[in-house]
Amino acid sequence: EFSGACESSFALSLIGIMALLILANTLEPKLTSIDKITEKYINKKIKIQGEIIEIKNYQNNKTLEFFYVLTIYDETGRVDIIFNEKNLLNLKTNQDIIVIGKVNQYKNNLQIQAEKIIGL
């Protein structure tokens, strides 16, 4: 009788952990202004909104794949968005977008590796 109770509470714990993992991957972070992005956000998911002020494309010398750097601006500052998609979803300068992605650091500059870009 005791081992049956342990098995069911273990199963229930596993279900709870799975539910938390699913929620953690589907819930979006709240909107953050660009000036609030600091080193404490490195490797954390963030959501920002801003206007595209520059679009550059580069090619990775090792993989030969293209990637894009979008510089976006809000009233508090600017930040670079790294984006690996083949097409740019028809993004253009002066367009407002929402970006969800992880903050990382490149050459002492904070940037965001985009997971999702939504054109407004």
Side-chain angles (χ1 to χ4, degrees), residues 8-57:
S8 62
S9 57
F10 178 71
L12 196 57
S13 295
L14 278 179
I15 291 169
I17 290 169
M18 294 296 286
L20 285 173
L21 286 172
I22 290 168
L23 280 174
N25 287 326
T26 56
L27 292 176
E28 290 185 355
K30 65 183 172 101
L31 201 59
T32 302
S33 61
I34 292 173
D35 67 335
K36 300 280 192 266
I37 303 170
T38 62
E39 277 83 15
K40 72 177 185 174
Y41 280 98
I42 291 177
N43 293 323
K44 293 193 173 140
K45 194 181 267 195
I46 194 168
K47 179 179 181 181
I48 60 171
Q49 180 176 340
E51 179 183 326
I52 300 172
I53 56 175
E54 188 173 32
I55 301 173
K56 295 181 191 170
N57 65 326

Side-chain angles (χ1 to χ4, degrees), residues 62-78:
K62 292 178 185 167
T63 64
L64 301 180
E65 290 180 358
F66 286 96
F67 67 95
Y68 299 90
V69 178
L70 308 176
T71 303
I72 71 166
Y73 164 85
D74 71 9
E75 62 278 352
T76 68
R78 58 195 286 172

